[in-house]
Amino acid sequence: MDLSNLTIKKIHEGLTDKKFSAFEITQEFLAYIEEKDRKINAYLRLTKDLALSQANQVDVWLAEKRELPILAGAPLAIKDNILIEGEPATAGSKILANYRAAYDATVIKKLKQAGAIFPGKTNLDEFAMGSSTENSAFKTTKNPCDLERVPGGSSGGSAAAVAADMAVAALGSDTGGSIRQPAGFCGVVGLKPTYGAVSRYGLIAMASSLDQIGPITKTVEDAKILFEAIKGRDALDSTSVDYDAVLEHSKEFSLEGIRKMKIGLPKEYFAGGLDKQTRLAIDEAIKLLKSLKIEFREISLPRTKYALSCYYIIMSAEVSANLARFDGIRYARIDADSRAKESEYMSENQRVNQPKSALEKIYFRQRGRGFGDEAKRRIILGTFVLSAGYYDAYYAKAQKVRRLIKKDFNKAFQEVDVILTPISPTPAFKIGEKVDDPLAMYLSDIFTVPVNLAGLPAISIPIKKYKRGDGELPVGFQLIGKPFRETDILGVGQYYEKLL
Ligand code: GLN
């Protein structure tokens, strides 16, 4: 079977038309992943037993002639910071290498009920901190379009799995661009929902006021299907909202509706620093959309230049708080052989020159060995900006700037319905190119972080259909919508997709 043309919808049709069983399609995907992923490294591990038992369940539903939910039988790759009961969940970190999830994330629970299949857990930057997947403690994922390049991050494993046909779709998480940027680098679709649209229960937290779970798919239509399945209020996440109650417009979109929309082009996003090929490709996309008679307007988001600094203060502050719970006692120990490590710890301890209680020794050893450099960097930065004496100068200031950034968007949305921007300043970069230069790495998020600071929905859409291995690097564009108006950006995206 050719897995490259499969979408959620096509699998659904294939199952209901009895072209294949869920068991067959799952086996086919698992076999393909085992072969293909030797080169790509998208998955950290396969969850074969789970996948096959889920497939059996779907086949029972078929045999009982039950109406199949649209996601039944669809193999979805899951980022390894999302909990599946009984399965390991490492968040790409050594400190969780031996942890097994005690419960299902709410999104997982919903997808299980919908009959989705989980073939495996995908690679990510440690605790979702990064833009290339190179910060994973376990492996570096490669971009399926060019194996010398990164797939983006932090959901690089999920994006690469979808782009290389090793899953029909995937879940990622996005704190500052981690769904949209890897989707853009790999030539697939990635949706970051409005803050509060999807429950974060069971997502290993990075920065709680910015994190959202969302779909990575081959088509905008599939992104919509997956989003519909995971959204909604959850009693276990107090920041989640009753989506349908806040939605004051029709759910479906007509071409007429889209033609009446105005799309804004923020001039700050098209200034210097944007790679020339990326610029040209985006101009093509705009031209195509103009052929639908959609009106474009130049707009201004003047505080864009402060977004990255603001993000790195707020995000680090929240990271330092969220990662404090990994103390080497709860969750899992990183190694059982503590005696051998004791001597190692002693020398470290002497270096920092502080006598410690037995408990502190455990914290020092486990956290010192368990966290990678990027996690440590952000914990230190976050602790600093929250410390007495610096709190007002950094953290409180950043919160004010965050509000101003949100105001910029509010103002722009009085004029336009949707905003179109690049996803990142360049296409996928080479493995190793930025790994030793954190600031250069941070800059690749410049167009995605303002969206998280403002809590808005945004989607990245490939500018054309990319064929793997044709030497071309994918480029996409980002559509940003008003809060809880995913339908707007999905609608424009779906029409764009049809024009290709
Ligand atoms: N690349 C960004 C960072 O390193 C965003 C990460 C994310 O969205 N999880 O913080």
Side-chain angles (χ1 to χ4, degrees):
M1 198 184 310
D2 179 9
L3 303 184
S4 69
N5 289 323
L6 283 180
T7 57
I8 293 172
K9 226 174 164 184
K10 282 189 191 154
I11 289 183
H12 183 75
E13 283 161 13
L15 286 171
T16 40
D17 296 348
K18 305 244 176 330
K19 287 208 186 98
F20 44 75
S21 68
F23 197 81
E24 280 163 356
I25 190 94
T26 303
Q27 268 188 323
E28 189 128 1
F29 266 97
L30 289 170
Y32 185 71
I33 297 168
E34 284 198 324
E35 180 213 314
K36 183 85 196 171
D37 206 34
R38 279 189 227 139
K39 280 207 199 115
I40 311 270
N41 276 337
Y43 284 92
L44 284 173
R45 81 200 79 75
L46 295 187
T47 45
K48 271 192 193 175
D49 293 346
L50 171 65
L52 291 171
S53 76
Q54 288 174 311
N56 274 329
Q57 180 63 54
V58 173
D59 286 335
V60 169
W61 291 351
L62 267 173
E64 289 170 351
K65 301 207 167 19
R66 276 214 240 165
E67 202 184 318
L68 278 196
I70 180 79
L71 275 160
L76 308 180
I78 307 295
K79 188 176 181 179
D80 206 28
N81 59 354
I82 299 174
L83 307 188
I84 301 179
E85 187 182 342
E87 299 292 340
T90 66
S93 179
K94 252 200 286 183
I95 208 163
L96 287 175
N98 298 320
Y99 172 67
R100 260 174 209 277
Y103 59 91
D104 278 332
T106 297
V107 290
I108 293 298
K109 201 178 261 173
K110 289 187 173 188
L111 292 174
K112 278 184 173 173
Q113 278 160 7
I117 313 276
F118 304 138
K121 302 291 295 288
T122 54
N123 197 21
L124 67 155
D125 289 294
E126 183 173 10
F127 287 104
M129 299 179 206
S131 308
S132 68
T133 321
E134 291 164 294
N135 290 341
S136 165
F138 303 108
K139 48 167 92 163
T140 295
T141 300
K142 296 180 176 152
N143 190 319
C145 305
D146 178 344
L147 297 182
E148 286 179 7
R149 291 179 188 264
V150 302
S154 64
S155 313
S158 284
V162 175
D165 310 315
M166 296 188 285
V168 73
L171 286 186
S173 65
D174 192 313
T175 306
S178 278
I179 288 175
R180 290 158 288 155
Q181 184 255 24
F185 278 13
C186 294
V188 292
V189 174
L191 172 71
K192 181 218 106 62
T194 311
Y195 187 77
V198 176
S199 168
R200 290 178 293 110
Y201 183 71
L203 167 68
I204 298 174
M206 176 182 161
S208 313
S209 79
L210 302 157
D211 297 342
Q212 270 291 284
I213 297 173
I216 296 179
T217 55
K218 293 192 180 177
T219 64
V220 179
E221 185 176 37
D222 274 1
K224 183 173 181 212
I225 293 172
L226 200 42
F227 172 65
E228 294 282 333
I230 59 175
K231 73 176 168 42
R233 164 102 187 122
D234 174 15
L236 298 168
D237 172 2
S238 61
T239 61
S240 66
V241 301
D242 182 354
Y243 194 87
D244 294 321
V246 298
L247 204 67
E248 73 308 315
H249 65 104
S250 79
K251 279 192 174 175
E252 290 309 322
F253 236 94
S254 65
L255 185 55
E256 276 325 294
I258 286 176
R259 283 200 174 127
K260 281 193 209 119
M261 297 217 321
K262 294 186 196 75
I263 300 188
L265 299 172
K267 59 174 190 233
E268 292 79 5
Y269 284 62
F270 291 92
L274 184 59
D275 158 76
K276 229 172 150 189
Q277 283 317 103
T278 304
R279 175 78 220 229
L280 287 174
I282 291 179
D283 285 345
E284 281 302 304
I286 293 173
K287 224 160 95 191
L288 203 56
L289 282 168
K290 278 188 177 159
S291 72
L292 279 180
K293 301 246 169 344
I294 296 180
E295 186 187 330
F296 278 81
R297 267 194 204 175
E298 187 182 272
I299 56 162
S300 175
L301 298 165
R303 276 82 159 220
T304 301
K305 55 178 182 282
Y306 305 121
L308 216 47
S309 340
C310 173
Y311 169 78
Y312 271 88
I313 291 172
I314 292 174
M315 174 274 295
S316 300
E318 294 184 20
V319 160
S320 74
N322 276 327
L323 267 50
R325 64 171 66 94
F326 302 107
D327 57 5
I329 298 171
R330 280 170 285 192
Y331 308 100
R333 296 186 64 124
I334 50 176
D335 46 56
D337 184 10
S338 54
R339 244 184 319 158
K341 304 298 180 294
E342 184 73 9
S343 57
E344 205 174 298
Y345 159 73
M346 284 313 285
S347 56
E348 255 176 50
N349 186 29
Q350 276 149 12
R351 252 202 325 274
V352 294
N353 195 22
Q354 295 231 346
K356 300 274 180 298
S357 68
L359 193 58
E360 281 174 319
K361 278 186 191 174
I362 295 175
Y363 295 159
F364 260 66
R365 186 172 62 232
Q366 296 273 331
R367 286 171 68 85
R369 291 170 54 83
F371 289 130
D373 288 349
E374 187 61 28
K376 286 179 185 160
R377 187 177 296 127
R378 297 190 192 199
I379 291 171
I380 292 168
L381 189 63
T383 310
F384 172 74
V385 300
L386 290 175
S387 59
Y390 294 99
Y391 180 94
D392 286 331
Y394 293 102
Y395 184 72
K397 188 67 145 286
Q399 291 290 18
K400 289 179 189 159
V401 174
R402 180 178 191 172
R403 192 158 316 139
L404 293 175
I405 290 169
K406 170 106 180 95
K407 268 192 176 165
D408 275 1
F409 278 108
N410 289 348
K411 194 161 165 242
F413 281 128
Q414 286 171 3
E415 256 187 83
V416 296
D417 304 286
V418 166
I419 296 172
L420 187 151
T421 77
I423 302 164
S424 60
T426 64
F429 44 87
K430 290 243 162 89
I431 292 173
E433 194 180 318
K434 300 193 182 185
V435 77
D436 296 321
D437 186 352
L439 285 183
M441 190 75 92
Y442 296 171
L443 274 173
S444 64
D445 301 324
I446 191 153
F447 302 137
T448 46
V449 299
V451 170
N452 300 71
L453 289 170
L456 302 170
I459 189 168
S460 49
I461 295 173
I463 284 175
K464 48 185 186 169
K465 289 192 173 135
Y466 292 97
K467 276 204 209 82
R468 236 177 301 135
D470 63 0
E472 204 181 351
L473 291 177
V475 179
F477 62 88
Q478 170 174 239
L479 292 175
I480 307 170
K482 296 177 184 172
F484 302 104
R485 299 281 283 260
E486 273 78 1
T487 31
D488 292 353
I489 52 176
L490 288 164
V492 177
Q494 268 178 282
Y495 273 100
Y496 180 84
E497 191 168 75
K498 284 195 187 128
L499 295 172
L500 293 183

